Amino acid sequence: MPPDKNHTCCFTGHRPDKLPWGLDEADPRCTALKASLSRELDGLYRRGFRHFISGMAMGCDLYFAQAALELREQCPGVTVEGAVPCPTQAQKWPQKLRRRWRSILDACDLESVVQQSYNRYCMLRRDRYMVDRSAAVLAVFDGTPGGTQYTLNYAMGQKREILLLDPARPEAAAVRFTM
């Protein structure tokens, strides 16, 4: 049976090139953002959310997936889905990140592959797939154009609840929007 949409939250967020700390996850701002993601996931769990979907992109998507997997270890009924735009998503990533991606994906309860080959639309299809199956979207967004903005615009059009974290203020609570 597919996860209940009303109890599902997906995630969208920036890749390392848009984050102030880049790939340096030891940076205190990154550590603070990861703590905020965990705090927001805990809050979503307390509100009844049980299924969490990550698009498995480099950067914030992987932080979210790891935080959701940690929540699953502590709380009953949590499931985590890795929504992969195509099987070659991580093919050109550095080897260390490819191994991390594979390890996280292997730990997920569900792996969804949106399409079988890469084209310029597969990431957008993955984003719509996630939003269409969710009642809420948790996002790390700094206001710049790109895939995260596309996903948030789509989510607003679908009248999803949105929780926004600002990477410039990673310790701050998410701002909540309901449509």
Side-chain angles (χ1 to χ4, degrees):
M1 187 162 95
D4 177 12
K5 175 180 168 178
N6 294 321
H7 298 104
T8 298
C9 174
C10 69
F11 177 82
T12 187
H14 295 306
R15 292 186 174 91
D17 62 324
K18 285 193 175 179
L19 298 171
W21 54 86
L23 288 167
D24 182 8
E25 292 185 43
D27 185 291
R29 295 168 295 181
C30 183
T31 304
L33 179 66
K34 288 179 180 182
S36 291
L37 284 170
S38 293
R39 182 184 64 244
E40 296 300 331
L41 282 168
D42 185 61
L44 286 160
Y45 180 82
R46 283 187 271 112
R47 289 179 45 214
F49 286 83
R50 296 296 182 266
H51 187 67
F52 299 93
I53 308 173
S54 170
M56 299 301 296
M58 215 184 292
C60 292
D61 283 22
L62 294 183
Y63 306 163
F64 172 84
Q66 286 183 303
L69 290 168
E70 289 168 11
L71 180 70
R72 184 183 70 186
E73 294 303 311
Q74 301 164 14
C75 299
V78 170
T79 55
V80 182
E81 178 178 352
V84 178
C86 64
T88 59
Q89 178 182 24
Q91 183 175 313
K92 295 181 180 178
W93 295 6
Q95 184 178 12
K96 184 178 177 182
L97 278 172
R98 280 196 319 268
R99 283 196 305 265
R100 180 179 181 187
W101 176 84
R102 183 77 263 166
S103 173
I104 292 170
L105 201 50
D106 287 346
C108 288
D109 300 285
L110 180 62
E111 177 182 339
S112 302
V113 179
V114 176
Q115 64 185 51
Q116 288 305 309
S117 60
Y118 174 83
N119 67 30
R120 64 185 181 166
Y121 303 110
C122 67
M123 305 297 181
L124 303 177
R125 284 188 184 110
R126 182 261 333 263
D127 297 341
R128 289 191 308 267
Y129 167 89
M130 295 188 308
V131 170
D132 289 345
R133 285 156 180 77
S134 301
V137 179
L138 176 58
V140 173
F141 183 56
D142 66 3
T144 59
T148 301
Q149 181 183 46
Y150 169 86
T151 305
L152 290 170
N153 287 341
Y154 182 74
M156 286 186 278
Q158 300 302 306
K159 301 192 181 333
R160 300 304 189 258
E161 175 184 351
I162 296 172
L163 298 127
L164 284 181
L165 290 168
D166 181 351
R169 297 181 50 235
E171 71 290 338
V175 177
R176 183 176 173 196
F177 299 91
T178 53
M179 304 295 135

